Amino acid sequence: MSGSATPHAPASARASLPPTAAATPALLHAPASAYASPGLPPPATFDIVPDLHKLLKRIIDAPPPDPSSQSAAADGPLEIQHVATAATDIRLKIQRAQRAVMSLPEIGRTCADQEEEIEDLEARIARLKASLRELARPAETTEDRDTRPTSIDCMVALDMALAKGAKCPT
């Protein structure tokens, strides 16, 4: 009933239903890192907001400039001349995130490729919905269908033969 997968869909994307907890009890107690898709960088790679917040807080909490103070504490107030040095870690984290995104598979796919895949998937969904509607249709009445049996098991065949008066071969 499932159609062929699109050229870009992995085999795991072709499953009709997601696994249930009853079928996969290990999913109930799996760590959060187990839910990450294979090949994707961890979410912390892209989380720069806390670092930016910390840097901005250090800049805002900075005391008025004092010519005798030339060093900045690691987490203390930050003077304006030390901002570039303190922002280096954030810049490096952004560059790592950019490299992680560029290394993802199929990053070069165009919008036209994606729209074509979406159309293929929508057509597949329509075919599956039509199949489900066909299955949900009520059974035909006995007047509308052929009443002859299409598959006869041994006992039914024996009963029919005995009813017609045939003798059993012994």
Side-chain angles (χ1 to χ4, degrees):
M1 185 156 161
S2 63
S4 61
T6 63
H8 304 289
S12 61
R14 289 182 265 174
S16 298
L17 297 173
T20 60
T24 54
L27 290 178
L28 293 176
H29 306 292
S33 62
Y35 296 114
S37 298
L40 289 180
T45 305
F46 306 103
D47 193 13
I48 62 166
V49 174
D51 297 331
L52 283 173
H53 180 269
K54 184 177 175 183
L55 178 64
L56 291 174
K57 184 171 179 9
R58 288 179 64 198
I59 293 171
I60 291 171
D61 291 344
D66 181 15
S68 64
S69 168
Q70 292 297 323
S71 64
D75 289 332
L78 186 63
E79 295 179 8
I80 198 70
Q81 64 264 23
H82 301 291
V83 172
T85 306
T88 301
D89 290 338
I90 297 172
R91 248 187 261 120
L92 291 173
K93 190 170 188 176
I94 291 171
Q95 289 172 355
R96 280 192 300 270
Q98 286 174 331
R99 284 192 304 272
V101 167
M102 295 311 291
S103 70
L104 289 173
E106 302 181 9
I107 195 69
R109 288 182 62 199
T110 64
C111 288
D113 292 340
Q114 294 176 30
E115 288 171 359
E116 181 181 335
E117 183 178 5
I118 290 170
E119 289 172 5
D120 292 343
L121 292 172
E122 287 173 344
R124 180 176 176 212
I125 290 170
R127 287 191 309 271
L128 291 172
K129 283 182 179 180
S131 296
L132 287 174
R133 278 193 297 274
E134 183 70 26
L135 289 173
R137 226 174 15 153
E140 299 172 344
T141 61
T142 54
E143 296 85 34
D144 294 342
R145 66 174 180 198
D146 189 8
T147 57
R148 291 178 292 166
T150 55
S151 94
I152 302 174
D153 69 0
C154 293
M155 294 307 291
V156 173
L158 179 62
D159 287 341
M160 288 174 52
L162 290 174
K164 291 183 181 176
K167 293 185 181 181
C168 289
T170 52

